[in-house]
Amino acid sequence: MTVPIAKLSFWGVRGSTPTVDPATWRYGGNTPCLELIAPDGTQIILDCGTGLRMLGSRWAAPNGGKTPETHILVTHYHWDHIQGIPFFSPLYVENNEFHFYSFRSKFLGRDSLKQVFEAQMALPYFPVDMSAMSAKRKFKEVDGGESFTVGENNIAARWLNHPQGCLGFRIETPAGIVAYATDNEPGDAKLDESLRELAAGADIFINDAQFTPEQLETTRKGWGHSSWLEGAKVARQAGAKTLVLFHHDPDSTDRMVDSILRQAREEFDSVFAASEGMVVTLGAPGDRVQAHMPGTRTALRREAQFQAKVCGVTEGGKDFEEETVVRDISLQGALISLKHMPRLQSELQVTMEAPGADGVQSMNLRGYVVRIDAGAEKGHVAVGVVFTD
Ligand SMILES: [Zn+2]
Ligand SMILES: [Zn+2]
């Protein structure tokens, strides 16, 4: 029997507005867009932020492609969740079919999402109008509390606490459960309970982590967002397995997100900070949630050979130190061949000898283990590490 596997790709992880500041490159600057490929081949897109353009530019027809059909869940109508729509090239291809799901906004009335499409492409905001979009588009209204089925996957929608409303989605696939709860603020008892319902026992719980706990209590109270600390609390209460910190503030540099991630990892065992290009696999052999950081940014990847010393903790809880060669390194992380099997999510110290302007320099990097695969060499494992500062 083959094991059902689902693949969750992060195309945009930034909240509020895109960023192009180099200090935010590592986590990425595109606004929310996720893609889930369920074991039955169903393609589900979550939100249409600017990350959607990137997804469109690497478009592969779902189901191997006869009548490519894609399901797009839109959480709400704030700019950062819809702005990618006019730039999504598959919408301009006749053979494609899209099913959009979103709620009826009291500010827009019937066919809210359809109106959002038209408004974004109205003159003088966009050079061509809706008639240029030749793909089939179907719109379905979803209310908080509703559930529906797409392929063999069950999807539940719940209201979240956010100005003008926002839906959270829980997607149950045969490979595992993904709960997507962007844009929400704690403090409304009923909606806090909805959030816990979405996250209950989820393999992946993606939660708004835009603000620090201090900001959330003071200057940013009432802005509709959450913090890593609230995410960790809900993950614990709801028995979620892995927490993904999401919707990073546009003013948060990579170093700030690193520090948020470090604090969250002290509160909860399994935490990732969402980063653009991250792919999480559910239902992989061994029943572990694994992530890897391939290249949406392959240009920043270096084919190299660095002598390295790696220190960490093994699966069995023992400290180890090992000399190795790092061959695959990017801005975000590295793939390291090791004889030791480090624990998933544990921290690694990687000291590399790198050629610099004044001869060979020693570089100290801190990272954590997000993936473990069989190694190319016998007796080795390939360890995927994400760097933090
Ligand atoms: Zn947002
Ligand atoms: Zn919002």
Side-chain angles (χ1 to χ4, degrees):
M1 207 187 91
T2 51
V3 186
I5 286 177
K7 219 179 87 180
L8 179 67
S9 307
F10 290 76
W11 295 94
V13 303
R14 190 66 57 175
S16 306
T17 189
T19 62
V20 290
D21 180 345
T24 62
W25 275 359
R26 192 151 42 79
Y27 287 98
N30 279 299
T31 56
C33 179
L34 274 64
E35 178 195 22
L36 177 69
I37 308 286
D40 63 355
T42 299
Q43 185 195 29
I44 298 167
I45 295 173
L46 293 154
D47 273 334
C48 299
T50 59
L52 185 66
R53 187 181 67 85
M54 311 286 290
L55 168 55
S57 67
R58 286 168 179 75
W59 186 248
N63 301 324
K66 253 199 337 240
T67 320
E69 219 180 84
T70 302
H71 302 268
I72 303 189
L73 314 179
V74 178
T75 58
H76 65 307
Y77 305 113
H78 287 161
W79 285 120
D80 50 328
H81 300 261
I82 58 163
Q83 218 166 10
I85 290 172
F87 302 96
F88 185 47
S89 54
L91 279 172
Y92 298 85
V93 178
E94 208 165 326
N95 197 32
N96 293 334
E97 186 169 323
F98 293 94
H99 298 254
F100 288 92
Y101 305 77
S102 64
F103 65 89
R104 181 186 293 207
S105 159
K106 70 173 180 195
F107 301 94
L108 296 168
R110 273 178 76 91
D111 296 327
S112 289
L113 188 60
K114 215 168 154 202
Q115 291 185 51
V116 164
F117 264 71
E118 281 156 13
Q120 277 198 93
M121 294 183 74
L123 308 177
Y125 301 112
F126 201 71
V128 296
D129 67 21
M130 289 289 291
S131 63
M133 275 192 181
S134 46
K136 274 190 222 67
R137 301 179 302 276
K138 293 182 177 161
F139 296 90
K140 191 177 180 313
E141 238 169 51
V142 178
D143 203 351
E146 264 181 53
S147 298
F148 53 99
T149 305
V150 178
E152 1 171 294
N153 314 288
N154 295 318
I155 303 175
R158 291 280 183 281
W159 289 117
L160 297 173
N161 187 29
H162 193 62
Q164 299 98 49
C166 178
L167 288 176
F169 293 104
R170 172 186 174 91
I171 307 168
E172 298 182 357
T173 80
I177 300 169
V178 175
Y180 177 57
T182 185
D183 297 57
N184 72 87
E185 179 166 355
D188 177 302
K190 208 172 131 214
L191 297 175
D192 289 352
E193 183 53 33
S194 293
L195 180 62
R196 283 190 292 269
E197 281 171 29
L198 284 174
D203 295 279
I204 309 276
F205 167 45
I206 301 152
N207 194 54
D208 186 326
Q210 177 153 0
F211 300 140
T212 63
E214 300 72 38
Q215 284 177 314
L216 189 57
E217 265 171 36
T218 56
T219 52
R220 292 289 181 264
K221 199 177 167 68
W223 286 54
H225 297 288
S226 192
S227 75
W228 62 266
L229 184 58
E230 290 297 329
K233 259 191 235 166
V234 175
R236 242 195 335 265
Q237 290 165 352
K241 298 193 183 82
T242 293
L243 168 68
V244 178
L245 307 174
F246 188 73
H247 206 271
H248 309 305
D249 193 275
D251 288 330
S252 288
T253 62
D254 291 332
R255 277 166 181 266
M256 287 154 85
V257 179
D258 284 344
S259 136
I260 284 170
L261 173 62
R262 236 183 341 263
Q263 295 173 76
R265 286 165 56 79
E266 278 167 26
E267 282 294 313
F268 193 70
D269 270 352
S270 181
V271 188
F272 294 116
S275 88
E276 218 171 273
M278 178 166 105
V279 179
V280 174
T281 313
L282 282 95
D287 196 30
R288 315 287 292 269
V289 163
Q290 295 202 337
H292 66 138
M293 308 286 167
T296 47
R297 268 165 269 165
T298 39
L300 295 172
R301 212 172 186 107
R302 290 280 173 273
E303 281 283 329
Q305 284 217 16
F306 296 114
Q307 287 296 329
K309 192 173 79 185
V310 179
C311 305
V313 185
T314 65
E315 188 74 72
K318 285 212 180 73
D319 290 341
F320 73 88
E321 198 180 300
E322 185 179 335
E323 303 275 341
T324 185
V325 176
V326 178
R327 291 200 174 82
D328 189 346
I329 185 163
S330 75
L331 199 61
Q332 287 169 307
L335 197 64
I336 304 172
S337 170
L338 290 177
K339 282 193 210 108
H340 290 93
M341 165 90 83
R343 186 188 296 157
L344 203 58
Q345 294 270 349
S346 67
E347 198 166 277
L348 286 187
Q349 292 284 348
V350 182
T351 311
M352 283 190 288
E353 303 290 326
D358 319 307
V360 174
Q361 285 171 338
S362 184
M363 205 161 50
N364 264 309
L365 295 166
R366 181 149 59 158
Y368 70 104
V369 178
V370 293
R371 185 181 182 85
I372 299 169
D373 289 322
E377 283 170 87
K378 201 164 177 276
H380 283 66
V381 285
V383 178
V385 175
V386 171
F387 294 135
T388 61
D389 267 326

mmCIF file with all atom_site columns, all heavy atoms in Angstrom, residues 273-284:
data_model
loop_
_atom_site.group_PDB
_atom_site.id
_atom_site.type_symbol
_atom_site.label_atom_id
_atom_site.label_alt_id
_atom_site.label_comp_id
_atom_site.label_asym_id
_atom_site.label_entity_id
_atom_site.label_seq_id
_atom_site.pdbx_PDB_ins_code
_atom_site.Cartn_x
_atom_site.Cartn_y
_atom_site.Cartn_z
_atom_site.occupancy
_atom_site.B_iso_or_equiv
_atom_site.pdbx_formal_charge
_atom_site.auth_seq_id
_atom_site.auth_comp_id
_atom_site.auth_asym_id
_atom_site.auth_atom_id
_atom_site.pdbx_PDB_model_num
ATOM 1  N N   . ALA A 1 273 ? 8.875  28.823 11.402 1.00 0.00 ? 273 ALA A N   1
ATOM 2  C CA  . ALA A 1 273 ? 8.466  30.159 10.963 1.00 0.00 ? 273 ALA A CA  1
ATOM 3  C C   . ALA A 1 273 ? 8.265  30.026 9.464  1.00 0.00 ? 273 ALA A C   1
ATOM 4  O O   . ALA A 1 273 ? 9.170  29.586 8.760  1.00 0.00 ? 273 ALA A O   1
ATOM 5  C CB  . ALA A 1 273 ? 9.550  31.174 11.281 1.00 0.00 ? 273 ALA A CB  1
ATOM 6  N N   . ALA A 1 274 ? 7.079  30.345 8.984  1.00 0.00 ? 274 ALA A N   1
ATOM 7  C CA  . ALA A 1 274 ? 6.799  30.200 7.557  1.00 0.00 ? 274 ALA A CA  1
ATOM 8  C C   . ALA A 1 274 ? 7.813  31.010 6.768  1.00 0.00 ? 274 ALA A C   1
ATOM 9  O O   . ALA A 1 274 ? 8.122  32.149 7.133  1.00 0.00 ? 274 ALA A O   1
ATOM 10 C CB  . ALA A 1 274 ? 5.388  30.702 7.256  1.00 0.00 ? 274 ALA A CB  1
ATOM 11 N N   . SER A 1 275 ? 8.338  30.414 5.726  1.00 0.00 ? 275 SER A N   1
ATOM 12 C CA  . SER A 1 275 ? 9.218  31.178 4.865  1.00 0.00 ? 275 SER A CA  1
ATOM 13 C C   . SER A 1 275 ? 8.889  30.834 3.422  1.00 0.00 ? 275 SER A C   1
ATOM 14 O O   . SER A 1 275 ? 8.426  29.735 3.110  1.00 0.00 ? 275 SER A O   1
ATOM 15 C CB  . SER A 1 275 ? 10.682 30.939 5.229  1.00 0.00 ? 275 SER A CB  1
ATOM 16 O OG  . SER A 1 275 ? 11.188 29.848 4.535  1.00 0.00 ? 275 SER A OG  1
ATOM 17 N N   . GLU A 1 276 ? 9.080  31.821 2.570  1.00 0.00 ? 276 GLU A N   1
ATOM 18 C CA  . GLU A 1 276 ? 8.706  31.669 1.163  1.00 0.00 ? 276 GLU A CA  1
ATOM 19 C C   . GLU A 1 276 ? 9.522  30.539 0.540  1.00 0.00 ? 276 GLU A C   1
ATOM 20 O O   . GLU A 1 276 ? 10.743 30.522 0.679  1.00 0.00 ? 276 GLU A O   1
ATOM 21 C CB  . GLU A 1 276 ? 9.037  32.980 0.464  1.00 0.00 ? 276 GLU A CB  1
ATOM 22 C CG  . GLU A 1 276 ? 8.054  33.382 -0.570 1.00 0.00 ? 276 GLU A CG  1
ATOM 23 C CD  . GLU A 1 276 ? 8.358  34.787 -1.041 1.00 0.00 ? 276 GLU A CD  1
ATOM 24 O OE1 . GLU A 1 276 ? 7.870  35.752 -0.406 1.00 0.00 ? 276 GLU A OE1 1
ATOM 25 O OE2 . GLU A 1 276 ? 9.089  34.912 -2.021 1.00 0.00 ? 276 GLU A OE2 1
ATOM 26 N N   . GLY A 1 277 ? 8.856  29.621 -0.127 1.00 0.00 ? 277 GLY A N   1
ATOM 27 C CA  . GLY A 1 277 ? 9.566  28.505 -0.743 1.00 0.00 ? 277 GLY A CA  1
ATOM 28 C C   . GLY A 1 277 ? 9.566  27.261 0.130  1.00 0.00 ? 277 GLY A C   1
ATOM 29 O O   . GLY A 1 277 ? 9.933  26.185 -0.311 1.00 0.00 ? 277 GLY A O   1
ATOM 30 N N   . MET A 1 278 ? 9.131  27.411 1.384  1.00 0.00 ? 278 MET A N   1
ATOM 31 C CA  . MET A 1 278 ? 9.086  26.253 2.286  1.00 0.00 ? 278 MET A CA  1
ATOM 32 C C   . MET A 1 278 ? 8.011  25.269 1.809  1.00 0.00 ? 278 MET A C   1
ATOM 33 O O   . MET A 1 278 ? 6.928  25.663 1.408  1.00 0.00 ? 278 MET A O   1
ATOM 34 C CB  . MET A 1 278 ? 8.756  26.751 3.695  1.00 0.00 ? 278 MET A CB  1
ATOM 35 C CG  . MET A 1 278 ? 8.634  25.675 4.743  1.00 0.00 ? 278 MET A CG  1
ATOM 36 S SD  . MET A 1 278 ? 8.655  26.421 6.411  1.00 0.00 ? 278 MET A SD  1
ATOM 37 C CE  . MET A 1 278 ? 6.943  26.289 6.857  1.00 0.00 ? 278 MET A CE  1
ATOM 38 N N   . VAL A 1 279 ? 8.364  23.993 1.826  1.00 0.00 ? 279 VAL A N   1
ATOM 39 C CA  . VAL A 1 279 ? 7.405  22.953 1.472  1.00 0.00 ? 279 VAL A CA  1
ATOM 40 C C   . VAL A 1 279 ? 7.332  21.973 2.632  1.00 0.00 ? 279 VAL A C   1
ATOM 41 O O   . VAL A 1 279 ? 8.353  21.446 3.076  1.00 0.00 ? 279 VAL A O   1
ATOM 42 C CB  . VAL A 1 279 ? 7.826  22.198 0.196  1.00 0.00 ? 279 VAL A CB  1
ATOM 43 C CG1 . VAL A 1 279 ? 6.819  21.104 -0.136 1.00 0.00 ? 279 VAL A CG1 1
ATOM 44 C CG2 . VAL A 1 279 ? 7.950  23.155 -0.978 1.00 0.00 ? 279 VAL A CG2 1
ATOM 45 N N   . VAL A 1 280 ? 6.137  21.751 3.142  1.00 0.00 ? 280 VAL A N   1
ATOM 46 C CA  . VAL A 1 280 ? 5.955  20.831 4.256  1.00 0.00 ? 280 VAL A CA  1
ATOM 47 C C   . VAL A 1 280 ? 5.268  19.572 3.737  1.00 0.00 ? 280 VAL A C   1
ATOM 48 O O   . VAL A 1 280 ? 4.295  19.657 2.992  1.00 0.00 ? 280 VAL A O   1
ATOM 49 C CB  . VAL A 1 280 ? 5.121  21.481 5.372  1.00 0.00 ? 280 VAL A CB  1
ATOM 50 C CG1 . VAL A 1 280 ? 4.806  20.485 6.469  1.00 0.00 ? 280 VAL A CG1 1
ATOM 51 C CG2 . VAL A 1 280 ? 5.849  22.680 5.938  1.00 0.00 ? 280 VAL A CG2 1
ATOM 52 N N   . THR A 1 281 ? 5.811  18.429 4.099  1.00 0.00 ? 281 THR A N   1
ATOM 53 C CA  . THR A 1 281 ? 5.225  17.163 3.670  1.00 0.00 ? 281 THR A CA  1
ATOM 54 C C   . THR A 1 281 ? 4.488  16.521 4.832  1.00 0.00 ? 281 THR A C   1
ATOM 55 O O   . THR A 1 281 ? 5.027  16.404 5.929  1.00 0.00 ? 281 THR A O   1
ATOM 56 C CB  . THR A 1 281 ? 6.340  16.198 3.209  1.00 0.00 ? 281 THR A CB  1
ATOM 57 O OG1 . THR A 1 281 ? 7.200  16.920 2.349  1.00 0.00 ? 281 THR A OG1 1
ATOM 58 C CG2 . THR A 1 281 ? 5.774  15.010 2.474  1.00 0.00 ? 281 THR A CG2 1
ATOM 59 N N   . LEU A 1 282 ? 3.259  16.115 4.594  1.00 0.00 ? 282 LEU A N   1
ATOM 60 C CA  . LEU A 1 282 ? 2.474  15.440 5.631  1.00 0.00 ? 282 LEU A CA  1
ATOM 61 C C   . LEU A 1 282 ? 2.296  13.978 5.258  1.00 0.00 ? 282 LEU A C   1
ATOM 62 O O   . LEU A 1 282 ? 2.071  13.661 4.091  1.00 0.00 ? 282 LEU A O   1
ATOM 63 C CB  . LEU A 1 282 ? 1.074  16.026 5.710  1.00 0.00 ? 282 LEU A CB  1
ATOM 64 C CG  . LEU A 1 282 ? 0.867  17.327 6.418  1.00 0.00 ? 282 LEU A CG  1
ATOM 65 C CD1 . LEU A 1 282 ? 0.897  18.447 5.412  1.00 0.00 ? 282 LEU A CD1 1
ATOM 66 C CD2 . LEU A 1 282 ? -0.464 17.314 7.125  1.00 0.00 ? 282 LEU A CD2 1
ATOM 67 N N   . GLY A 1 283 ? 2.346  13.137 6.265  1.00 0.00 ? 283 GLY A N   1
ATOM 68 C CA  . GLY A 1 283 ? 2.077  11.723 6.033  1.00 0.00 ? 283 GLY A CA  1
ATOM 69 C C   . GLY A 1 283 ? 3.275  10.978 5.477  1.00 0.00 ? 283 GLY A C   1
ATOM 70 O O   . GLY A 1 283 ? 3.140  9.854  5.027  1.00 0.00 ? 283 GLY A O   1
ATOM 71 N N   . ALA A 1 284 ? 4.446  11.615 5.490  1.00 0.00 ? 284 ALA A N   1
ATOM 72 C CA  . ALA A 1 284 ? 5.655  10.944 5.002  1.00 0.00 ? 284 ALA A CA  1
ATOM 73 C C   . ALA A 1 284 ? 5.959  9.756  5.904  1.00 0.00 ? 284 ALA A C   1
ATOM 74 O O   . ALA A 1 284 ? 5.550  9.740  7.065  1.00 0.00 ? 284 ALA A O   1
ATOM 75 C CB  . ALA A 1 284 ? 6.817  11.916 4.999  1.00 0.00 ? 284 ALA A CB  1
#
